[in-house]
Amino acid sequence: MPRSVNHVASKAKRTRILKLTKGYYGARKNVWTVAKNTWEKGLTYAYRDRKNKKRTFRALWIQRINAAARMEGLSYSALMGLLHKAGIEINRKVLADLAVNNPEAFKAIVDKVK
C-alpha cells in the first residue's frame, strides 16, 4: 500500500511562505529552506522591534521637548520637575507635539510653571 501524504496542504504552506518572502534578495525569496529561515527570523525581529519602537519614540519626544525647553531657558529635567511640582499632567508625546507644531502653546505651559 502506498504512503499517503497531503501534498496539497504542504505545497500550500510552502507557497504561502514563499509569497511572504517575495522581494527578498537572492535565494531568500525562492529556495524553500532559506526562505523559511529568513521569514522566521523576520518574525523575531518584528516582535523585538515592536518593543524597541516605544523606546525610540520616547527618546525622540524627550529630544524635542529638551530643544524647545532650552529655547525658553530651561533644561528638559528642570521643565519636567516644574511640571510635576505644578501638578500639570501632560505626557511627553503631547508635549513634544506642542513643541514642534504649536510653539505658542508650549511657551504658555512653560510660563505657567516658571
Side-chain angles (χ1 to χ4, degrees):
M1 189 166 162
R3 187 168 69 102
S4 173
V5 290
N6 190 355
H7 188 67
V8 175
S10 55
K11 185 167 181 357
K13 182 181 177 184
R14 283 197 300 273
T15 308
R16 180 175 56 87
I17 291 177
L18 287 172
K19 195 178 276 190
L20 289 170
T21 59
K22 185 179 166 212
Y24 286 13
Y25 180 81
R28 291 167 164 248
K29 70 173 163 274
N30 56 9
V31 176
W32 163 243
T33 50
V34 181
K36 182 172 66 79
N37 292 340
T38 306
W39 172 73
E40 285 173 351
K41 185 134 190 184
L43 292 178
T44 64
Y45 286 143
Y47 177 80
R48 180 198 69 191
D49 292 337
R50 280 195 297 275
K51 313 295 175 221
N52 285 354
K53 184 179 178 184
K54 294 159 184 59
R55 269 181 245 165
T56 308
F57 269 102
R58 185 181 170 101
L60 175 67
W61 297 330
I62 289 171
Q63 288 168 5
R64 287 178 175 177
I65 295 166
N66 191 22
R70 292 200 184 262
M71 291 164 96
E72 302 297 330
L74 285 171
S75 68
Y76 167 79
S77 60
L79 174 65
M80 295 312 281
L82 289 170
L83 283 170
H84 184 70
K85 203 179 286 181
I88 298 173
E89 289 188 18
I90 185 167
N91 66 17
R92 286 161 182 81
K93 181 179 179 179
V94 173
L95 206 55
D97 187 56
L98 286 176
V100 172
N101 298 322
N102 200 344
E104 313 86 45
F106 185 81
K107 186 172 173 32
I109 291 170
V110 171
D111 290 341
K112 186 167 175 99
V113 297
K114 269 188 179 175

